[in-house]
Amino acid sequence: MVRIGTSGYSFRDWVGVFYPDGTPPGKMLEFYAKNFNVAEVNSTYYRIPPPGVFAGMARRTPDGFHFVVKTHKSMTHSRDFDADALAVFNAAVQPLRDAGKLLGFLAQFPWSFRFAPPNLDYIRRLRDSFRAQSLHVEFRHDSWLRDDVFETLCAADIGFCMVDEPRLEGLIPPVARATTATAYVRFHGRNSTDWWRPRKGSDRYNYDYSDGELLEWVPAIKRLDGECDTVLLFFNNCHFGRAPRNAERMARILGIELRPPPRQGELPME
């Protein structure tokens, strides 16, 4: 089963492009959930919200809709989180667990986090913190592309997050390899000009995929779909509504349905 969504959904510059004109931030999730059945929550990297925020997200989305939540930066960048911080984070997402709408977590590590045995041990400890939920890790530095790393990820039930990003020295290339029953791919765009010097608004993700670039992934996605229970594709090229547009285009290329199934007794959406 292939599921496609975007990395985040609350963006002002999506109004008039993806969201209808005049859509307020408080109504974006409901509209998004009429067009997609999964979303990646990135705001938790910057701030851990109170549980009520996730409870509201669970209420405003239909049955069959799911979220992946990015871990807080203290877990991946400063790597100084403690038991109390972990408890706060887990309590925050509990409403999604209770609603059956939490697919798991994504830990995105910085380019400066390079392969070393202590760093691999850290990832295993982080996995233990989320034992009841799946965890996918995204590396930025290509030093992690080692057979022993993939073997460790498989043994520890840690997902390797595949990426599409600029072909620049030191960055992870588009390696299509799953280490758990859920394959996970993030499309960051290929803006090589701004990747190392992002200006205000994270211009490194300012990119619009062509059909030809999306088609490059089709053989790998079909192979992963045959090998895994689920394939998750998230578009992170958020500028100007390009992420949902590219996600919808990828769905058409793959011939899959994006919308959640209707609830019992509910007519399908037109």
Side-chain angles (χ1 to χ4, degrees), residues 202-221:
S202 297
D203 279 0
R204 64 168 46 137
Y205 304 120
N206 186 359
Y207 193 80
D208 192 11
Y209 282 97
S210 68
D211 281 4
E213 290 168 335
L214 297 178
L215 283 164
E216 291 173 12
W217 273 92
V218 170
I221 292 169

Side-chain angles (χ1 to χ4, degrees), residues 166 168 190-199 203-204 207:
L168 296 174
R190 302 179 183 181
N191 184 353
S192 58
T193 301
D194 292 312
W195 188 266
W196 294 125
R197 53 177 185 178
R199 297 181 292 276
D203 279 0
R204 64 168 46 137
Y207 193 80

Side-chain angles (χ1 to χ4, degrees), residues 140-162:
R140 287 288 168 90
H141 196 271
D142 64 3
S143 60
W144 290 96
L145 296 180
R146 300 164 50 108
D147 287 339
D148 56 342
V149 169
F150 286 111
E151 290 167 3
T152 298
L153 296 181
C154 287
D157 194 31
I158 300 170
F160 170 70
C161 177
M162 296 158 265

